[in-house]
């Protein structure tokens, strides 16, 4: 025979109950015990209604009306009209009793655990009765049986302890007498020897089903729910979670103990003794194989089988010299909690005997505190034991797996994953069974922790990167386009899943936690909320995604000032904005230190030479012990374009205009033409080669007339260029007569840096530099005479975007 249990969602609507019927009909087993939960949500509503009544809040009546309506409506849909009245009259009579009980609570202004159990049990009673009547009306050989006549518990209301002897006898007697094929039983409820209604704890219908399965020696216990089995993590928290096909009883128990709600933890014990297999299946996708829980796990080699979490945890610790070497303290500690019926979810003990620390539910912490202070009052008065330390609003995340005990290094991997993602660990514990490693963390970090651990242990190295993109103009838009067009390559070849979660321009910003649709982002962004840098940062922080990266595609100094906030929250920063690295040395230095301290990469390859790997190469030289003697470079793609295009057949004004229109200049072209942009670049190279330098120490031998430099708008600037056309033509003619080309050169030697226009003779490495190309010569200890040369396209939105992209990939491999 078979025992099947259908949870709240599976019986939440008439449509779902039809699905339940098909599953039972196609099960092919003659005798079946079918345990059902209350209609989805009803248990919660019953508890809320009771609370309202006990607080003498008349709103309870509205709530009760809803409960009534839900059941009556279901009957009207499921049961044929001519059979409805008998069913309706029984259900209405139950609802009247329920109303009387609630009224009693309302009048007295209180609810006892005993009354609460009686009230809350109506959810299952009504659902089982209605479902059985529906089955009968459909011609199934079915009947209803009140579980309270079978399962007997003590009077721990809300969490009855089962008397297995009596319960098993009752079940056997019932089975022997029963002639009906399908018995529908309400889950969750039971009764005490004195006939009072009790319940088996929240989620207890699973347990009811296991008790019946064991008493009746079922061949299998099927738990039908709203997911296709037990997953590697709660699929509602971790999208990538996968169904686990086989689990041992112990693993399933451990996962459910640590919060895999799909199976109520006590469920395993009754069936484990008799080795009855449990199959967890999905009512809404019955063809899925589901999870099989049995003695054998089919020899799975995977060490970590699942990751789960328990929310609402508090840590309570007892500390003090009085704990050292005195036997019996632990016993008194745990006895106190046990007498208060407080269950300990996790125990950690510091390596010294100096403290005992346990994780318990937030709901129990006040009671625990009072009781423990009472127990240790004497020691606390004498300062042998310190006042209790209590930390609330925590959660436990746990790795679970049978084979973990024989593998070294799993905890290291677990903690480094959490550390990299800035998840602060408050306590750790490894169960004596070594079937779990658990860590206590802040509640706000749970989703990030689960997802990053899942990535580490289950996703075959697919790493998700979550980008927050500031600036989607020229460069930003190209960058987003590159991510869009490369996404399948990134996933398949580089095992990177790059998602853009947030973006902003100067007007609006837009977030989508599931990843912004990169085909249609301009539309989404235009409808986004008003842009604000602080709100943007707060949102990124609050989303708290693993592997978060802030990407700055702007040239704004205000935005550059926010990098430290991101880094301090372990959010990587990738930027093509040069301001942060070329402003005060202290800020540059601080950002580098924050990046190290918070394990968050700070990358700015595009600050020099756009997409060319200049900074990266320099970094490699330095870390491999090389020393930079001299740098000579043409670092302005814009100026190079200008001086390569400018001759006596063009005007300087038109050439600069063209450079601007083709995206080779900064939005404000004076930044390029004044040489400031080149000064910033050489400054960054000098700093990256390990020297301290500030921008005012760089000599600038500029060529622009003062008047042009001092213009206050782009239009005025271009006007002034026209005025000085002759001077520019002279510069050109002079160089040409010397057989030279004009190049704007940056130099660093003997601790001094300078920039300026130079006449470059034929044969020089710089002479043939084309278009907007850049070139850098590094003279180093290893390359003393023949420099290391990097040369190529050094400006333009496309190459800059691909440089940012390369930085993102570097983070992916980090
Ligand atoms: P039912 O009402 O059918 O008893 P529950 O809500 O009690 O269903 O349990 C099913 C839910 O358990 C799923 O919807 C899922 O959100 C949650 N859950 C938590 N951890 C896991 C896990 N590791 N695998 C599957 N489901 C999980
Ligand atoms: N209906 C009860 C609850 O919601 C029992 C169950 O569904 O397992 O806790
Ligand atoms: Mg459940």
């Amino acid at each position: 025979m078979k025992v099947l249990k259908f949870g709240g969602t599976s019986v939440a609507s008439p449509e779902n109950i039809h699905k339940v019927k098909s599953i039972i009909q196609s099960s092919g087993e003659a005798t079946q015990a079918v345990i059902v939960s209350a209609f989805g949500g009803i248990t919660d509503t019953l508890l809320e209604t009771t609370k309202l009544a006990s607080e003498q809040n008349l709103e309870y009546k509205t709530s009760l009306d809803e409960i009534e309506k839900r059941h009556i409506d279901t009957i009207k849909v499921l049961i044929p009209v001519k059979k409805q009245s008998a069913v309706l009259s029984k259900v209405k009579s139950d609802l009247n009793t329920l109303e009387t009980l609630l009224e009693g609570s309302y009048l007295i202004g209180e609810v006892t655990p005993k009354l609460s159990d009686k009230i809350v049990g109506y959810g299952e009673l009504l659902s089982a009765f209605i479902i059985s009547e529906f089955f009968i009306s459909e011609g199934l050989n079915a009947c209803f049986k009140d579980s309270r006549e079978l399962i007997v518990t003590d009077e721990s209301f809300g969490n009855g302890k089962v008397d297995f002897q009596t319960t098993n006898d009752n079940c056997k007697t019932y089975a022997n007498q029963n002639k009906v094929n399908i018995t529908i039983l309400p889950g969750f409820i039971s009764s005490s020897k004195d006939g009072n209604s009790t319940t088996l704890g929240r989620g207890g219908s699973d347990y009811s089903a296991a008790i019946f399965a064991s008493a009746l020696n079922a061949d299998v216990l099927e738990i039908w729910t709203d997911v296709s089995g037990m997953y590697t993590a709660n699929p509602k928290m971790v999208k990538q979670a996968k169904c686990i096909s086989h689990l041992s009883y112990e693993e399933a128990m451990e996962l459910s103990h640590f919060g895999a709600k799909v199976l109520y933890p006590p469920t395993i014990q009754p069936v484990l003794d008799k080795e009855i297999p449990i199959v967890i299946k999905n009512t809404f996708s019955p063809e899925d194989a589901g999870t099989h829980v049995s003695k054998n796990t089919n020899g799975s080699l995977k060490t970590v089988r699942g990751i789960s979490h328990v929310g609402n945890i508090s840590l309570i610790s007892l500390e003090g010299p009085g704990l050292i070497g005195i036997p019996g303290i632990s016993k008194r500690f745990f006895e106190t909690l046990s007498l208060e019926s407080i269950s300990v979810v996790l125990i950690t003990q510091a390596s010294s005997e100096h403290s005992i620390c346990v994780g318990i539910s937030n709901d129990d912490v006040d009671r625990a505190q009072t009781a423990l202070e009472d127990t240790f009052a004497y020691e606390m008065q004498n300062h042998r034991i310190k006042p209790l330390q209590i930390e609330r609003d925590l959660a436990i995340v746990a790795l679970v797996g049978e084979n973990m005990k024989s593998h070294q290094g799993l905890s290291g991997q677990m903690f480094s994953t959490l550390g990299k993602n800035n998840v602060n660990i408050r306590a750790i514990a490894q169960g004596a069974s070594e079937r779990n490693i658990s860590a206590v963390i802040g509640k706000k970090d749970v989703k990030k922790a689960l997802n990053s651990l899942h990535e580490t242990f289950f996703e075959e190295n697919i790493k998700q990167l979550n980008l927050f993109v500031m600036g989607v103009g020229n460069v930003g838009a190209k960058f987003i386009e590159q991510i869009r067009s490369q996404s399948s390559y990134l996933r398949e070849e580089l095992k990177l899943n790059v998602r853009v979660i947030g973006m902003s321009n100067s007007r609006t910003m837009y977030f989508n936690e599931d990843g912004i649709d990169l085909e249609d982002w301009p539309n989404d962004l235009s409808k986004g909320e008003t842009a604000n840098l602080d709100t943007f940062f707060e949102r990124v922080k609050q989303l708290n995604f693993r592997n978060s990266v802030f990407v700055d595609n702007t040239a704004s100094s205000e935005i550059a000032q926010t990098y430290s906030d991101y880094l301090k929250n372990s959010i990587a920063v990738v930027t093509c904005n040069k301001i942060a690295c070329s402003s005060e040395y202290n800020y540059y230095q601080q950002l580098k230190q924050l990046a190290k301290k918070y394990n968050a990469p700070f990358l700015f390859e595009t600050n020099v030479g756009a997409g060319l790997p200049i900074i990266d190469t320099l970094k490699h030289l330095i870390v491999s012990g090389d020393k930079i003697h001299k740098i000579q470079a043409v670092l302005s793609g814009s100026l190079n374009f200008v001086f390569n295009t400018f001759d006596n057949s063009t005007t300087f004004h038109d050439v600069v205009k063209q450079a601007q229109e083709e995206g080779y200049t900064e939005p404000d072209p004076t930044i390029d033409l004044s040489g400031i942009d080149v000064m910033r670049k050489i400054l960054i190279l000098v700093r990256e080669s390990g020297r301290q330098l500030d921008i005012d120490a760089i000599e600038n031998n500029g060529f622009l007339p003062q008047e042009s430099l001092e213009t206050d708008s782009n239009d005025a600037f271009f006007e002034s260029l026209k005025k000085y056309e002759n001077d520019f033509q002279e510069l050109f003619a002079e160089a040409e007569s010397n057989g030279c080309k004009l190049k704007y050169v940056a130099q660093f030697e003997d601790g001094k840096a300078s920039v300026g226009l130079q006449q470059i003779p034929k044969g020089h490495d710089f002479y043939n530099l084309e278009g907007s190309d850049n070139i850098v010569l590094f003279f180093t200890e290893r390359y003393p005479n023949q420099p290391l040369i990097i040369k190529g396209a050094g400006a333009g939105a496309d190459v800059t975007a691909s440089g940012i992209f390369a930085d993102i990939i570097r983070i992916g491999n980090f």
Side-chain angles (χ1 to χ4, degrees):
M1 67 108 35
K2 229 182 190 184
V3 174
L4 300 90
K5 178 259 170 176
F6 292 88
T9 335
S10 304
V11 294
S13 67
E15 195 193 344
N16 296 359
I17 296 173
H18 271 284
K19 295 193 163 79
V20 170
K21 187 192 124 199
S22 323
I23 291 168
I24 292 171
Q25 279 181 314
S26 58
S27 111
E29 195 80 23
T31 32
Q32 301 178 48
V34 175
I35 290 82
V36 294
S37 288
F39 296 167
I42 289 289
T43 308
D44 286 335
T45 316
L46 278 166
L47 287 169
E48 277 154 31
T49 315
T50 314
K51 186 162 176 277
L52 287 171
S54 70
E55 289 166 357
Q56 302 194 308
N57 182 338
L58 275 175
E59 287 283 310
Y60 88 86
K61 291 195 181 228
T62 323
S63 195
L64 180 63
D65 288 347
E66 265 171 44
I67 296 174
E68 180 166 335
K69 185 170 182 316
R70 181 103 180 261
H71 289 93
I72 305 285
D73 287 355
T74 309
I75 295 171
K76 291 191 172 156
V77 179
L78 288 178
I79 315 265
V81 179
K82 51 181 188 307
K83 294 188 181 158
Q84 266 177 23
S85 65
V87 182
L88 281 173
S89 94
K90 161 81 176 112
V91 167
K92 281 191 175 156
S93 140
D94 279 356
L95 288 166
N96 283 340
T97 317
L98 181 60
E99 187 175 0
T100 311
L101 294 172
L102 286 164
E103 207 168 54
S105 167
Y106 173 79
L107 291 173
I108 307 169
E110 105 176 339
V111 59
T112 57
K114 183 173 170 181
L115 179 58
S116 173
D117 261 10
K118 195 166 175 65
I119 294 174
V120 79
Y122 273 93
E124 265 70 10
L125 273 176
L126 290 170
S127 105
F129 174 69
I130 295 169
I131 292 168
S132 65
E133 288 297 323
F134 165 61
F135 286 178
I136 295 166
S137 74
E138 293 278 301
L140 266 67
N141 183 228
C143 69
F144 166 82
K145 175 74 185 168
D146 188 340
S147 313
R148 292 176 301 181
E149 293 164 19
L150 302 176
I151 302 183
V152 177
T153 66
D154 67 2
E155 292 211 335
S156 316
F157 295 103
N159 206 356
K161 304 283 166 299
V162 178
D163 170 354
F164 277 97
Q165 184 87 46
T166 318
T167 302
N168 290 345
D169 289 348
N170 290 346
C171 291
K172 278 177 199 142
T173 312
Y174 171 74
N176 288 336
Q177 291 164 356
N178 175 44
K179 301 279 175 288
V180 177
N181 289 355
I182 304 163
T183 306
I184 316 295
L185 298 123
F188 184 47
I189 54 172
S190 41
S191 66
S192 72
K193 283 191 192 67
D194 295 343
N196 290 312
S197 293
T198 54
T199 59
L200 299 172
R202 290 305 308 269
S205 296
D206 297 340
Y207 190 31
S208 310
I211 295 166
F212 290 128
S214 160
L216 303 172
N217 282 321
D219 300 312
V220 60
L221 164 61
E222 292 182 357
I223 304 282
W224 290 83
T225 182
D226 59 357
V227 283
S228 295
M230 202 176 246
Y231 279 60
T232 47
N234 184 348
K236 289 188 183 140
M237 302 280 269
V238 177
K239 291 224 167 63
Q240 274 81 298
K242 291 190 187 71
C243 179
I244 311 169
S245 63
H246 290 88
L247 277 170
S248 71
Y249 289 116
E250 289 77 9
E251 287 172 327
M253 191 143 41
E254 207 91 355
L255 275 169
S256 63
H257 173 74
F258 284 108
K261 178 186 168 213
V262 65
L263 208 58
Y264 179 50
T267 308
I268 312 279
Q269 201 59 49
V271 292
L272 169 84
D273 296 339
K274 296 201 169 163
E275 294 185 16
I276 298 168
I278 306 175
V279 186
I280 303 171
K281 301 264 297 175
N282 189 346
T283 305
F284 308 97
S285 190
E287 58 291 344
D288 290 355
T291 297
H292 293 246
V293 183
S294 61
K295 196 166 174 223
N296 293 317
T297 58
N298 270 3
S300 164
L301 291 174
K302 231 176 150 35
T303 48
V304 181
R305 306 300 307 285
I307 302 165
S308 45
H309 85 282
V310 198
N312 290 327
I313 289 288
S314 293
L315 276 183
I316 183 157
S317 15
L318 190 72
E319 230 184 284
L323 264 65
I324 304 172
I326 300 173
I329 295 271
S330 297
K331 176 174 173 282
R332 284 166 63 204
F333 182 90
F334 287 104
E335 216 164 53
T336 306
L337 296 177
S338 151
L339 284 171
E340 287 289 319
S341 301
I342 293 171
S343 68
V344 171
V345 190
L346 162 144
I347 307 171
T348 77
Q349 174 142 29
S351 51
S352 76
E353 275 186 82
H354 213 65
S355 75
I356 309 172
C357 177
V358 294
I360 60 177
S361 159
N362 276 343
D363 302 337
D364 293 335
V365 76
D366 291 335
R367 273 189 306 128
Q369 179 172 16
T370 315
L372 288 167
E373 281 172 355
D374 196 35
T375 303
F376 295 105
Y378 174 74
E379 286 88 345
M380 284 181 184
Q381 248 166 32
N382 292 320
H383 306 292
R384 304 289 300 149
I385 288 180
K386 291 189 192 164
L388 288 172
Q389 278 179 33
I390 297 173
E391 266 191 283
R392 289 162 210 260
D393 287 330
L394 303 172
I396 299 175
V397 284
L399 299 186
V400 173
E402 192 72 64
N403 291 327
M404 290 190 352
K405 49 182 167 270
S406 48
H407 280 76
Q408 316 269 304
L410 287 178
S411 31
Q413 231 177 324
M414 175 179 187
F415 302 134
S416 81
T417 302
L418 294 176
K420 263 190 195 169
N421 282 286
N422 200 25
V423 175
N424 192 5
I425 299 169
R426 319 299 259 273
I428 51 179
Q430 175 148 17
S433 66
E434 295 191 41
R435 221 172 269 121
N436 81 75
I437 309 171
S438 29
V440 180
I441 63 174
K443 211 159 91 180
K444 68 174 191 2
D445 289 329
V446 166
K447 197 166 177 193
K448 178 159 77 168
L450 289 177
N451 279 282
S452 17
L453 291 172
H454 197 267
E455 194 167 82
T456 301
F457 292 102
F458 291 103
E459 289 171 36
E460 289 160 50
N461 300 325
I462 280 263
K463 188 166 178 179
Q464 187 179 84
L465 294 180
N466 295 299
L467 310 189
F468 298 88
V469 181
M470 182 62 72
V472 286
N474 234 350
V475 172
K478 291 247 158 59
F479 169 63
I480 287 173
E481 174 50 24
Q482 288 180 6
I483 300 177
R484 191 200 62 76
S485 62
Q486 303 273 337
S487 79
S488 57
Y489 169 79
L490 289 172
R491 197 188 290 264
E492 278 147 34
E493 300 298 322
L494 303 183
K495 304 280 178 226
L496 289 178
N497 175 16
V498 181
R499 314 188 307 163
V500 179
I501 305 294
M503 53 168 68
S504 178
N505 57 24
S506 53
R507 294 173 301 281
T508 50
M509 57 187 194
Y510 173 68
F511 290 84
N512 182 339
E513 288 186 38
D514 298 322
I516 296 173
D517 175 3
L518 299 185
E519 303 275 356
D520 198 30
W521 64 267
N523 188 28
D524 288 332
L525 180 60
S526 66
K527 290 191 225 129
E529 56 197 293
T530 308
N532 178 298
L533 289 185
D534 295 334
T535 325
F536 192 88
F537 166 68
E538 284 305 327
R539 196 69 61 79
V540 178
K541 188 169 133 187
Q542 172 228 328
L543 280 170
N544 203 10
F545 275 122
R546 67 189 187 284
N547 308 328
S548 290
V549 186
F550 175 68
V551 185
D552 179 10
N553 297 316
T554 73
S556 148
S557 54
E558 208 190 336
I559 294 169
Q561 285 305 318
T562 66
Y563 298 169
S564 51
D565 295 335
Y566 287 95
L567 294 171
K568 278 182 200 157
N569 285 281
S570 292
I571 297 162
V573 174
V574 169
T575 178
C576 63
N577 178 351
K578 292 174 216 61
I579 296 188
C581 290
S582 60
S583 59
E584 272 158 41
Y585 184 76
N586 283 348
Y587 189 51
Y588 161 82
Q589 196 59 20
Q590 186 202 353
L591 294 177
K592 293 235 135 190
Q593 277 162 1
L594 289 175
K596 213 179 254 172
K597 177 164 174 199
Y598 292 96
N599 235 317
F602 169 45
L603 300 179
F604 42 88
E605 180 58 75
T606 46
N607 277 195
V608 181
L612 294 176
I614 297 176
I615 293 181
D616 200 44
T617 307
L618 180 55
K619 265 191 198 152
H620 281 119
L621 289 176
I622 301 292
V623 293
S624 63
D626 205 353
K627 300 251 167 354
I628 309 298
H629 294 160
K630 180 164 122 182
I631 304 172
Q632 266 190 321
V634 175
L635 292 174
S636 169
S638 358
L639 285 175
N640 206 40
F641 174 86
V642 167
F643 287 108
N644 274 345
T645 318
F646 176 56
D647 58 20
N648 48 16
S649 69
T650 56
T651 70
F652 197 70
H653 166 275
D654 288 355
V655 172
V656 176
K657 195 86 202 165
Q658 187 189 347
Q660 191 200 31
E661 277 161 10
E662 293 186 15
Y664 290 131
T665 66
E666 295 285 320
D668 170 4
T670 53
I671 300 214
D672 291 302
L673 292 165
S674 64
I676 289 189
D677 188 58
V678 178
M679 285 163 80
R680 286 178 178 160
K681 287 173 178 166
I682 188 76
L683 177 68
I684 294 170
L685 290 185
V686 173
R687 286 178 173 179
E688 285 293 294
S689 63
R691 289 170 173 93
Q692 180 170 351
L693 191 75
D694 270 304
I695 199 129
D696 19 340
I698 301 175
E699 193 181 312
N700 183 356
N701 307 308
F703 63 93
L704 272 193
Q706 198 59 23
E707 186 184 330
S708 305
L709 282 174
E710 283 167 2
T711 50
D712 53 8
S713 72
N714 277 359
D715 288 345
F717 169 71
F718 278 107
E719 268 318 300
S720 80
L721 293 187
K722 286 185 185 159
K723 184 168 163 194
Y724 290 97
E725 181 62 28
N726 285 344
D727 297 355
F728 299 128
Q729 285 296 343
E730 247 170 56
L731 284 173
F732 173 76
E734 206 180 303
E736 198 181 39
S737 67
N738 293 334
C740 292
K741 284 190 180 172
L742 289 171
K743 300 284 166 199
Y744 202 83
V745 176
Q747 215 153 260
F748 173 73
E749 196 173 8
D750 298 331
K752 286 207 176 64
S754 64
V755 300
L757 201 60
Q758 289 184 12
Q759 296 189 6
I760 302 293
K762 250 197 187 103
H764 191 285
D765 285 317
F766 293 173
Y767 186 84
N768 285 322
L769 207 60
E770 310 255 327
S772 65
D773 283 5
N774 277 196
I775 184 166
V776 182
L777 316 184
F778 286 118
F779 295 86
T780 73
E781 210 156 276
R782 253 178 246 148
Y783 300 90
N785 305 317
Q786 288 304 320
L788 175 72
I789 302 180
I790 300 167
K791 180 181 161 195
D798 259 325
V799 279
T800 308
S802 58
I804 297 169
F805 198 63
D807 274 346
I808 300 289
I809 289 167
R810 283 185 187 106
I811 292 180
N813 297 330
F814 176 66

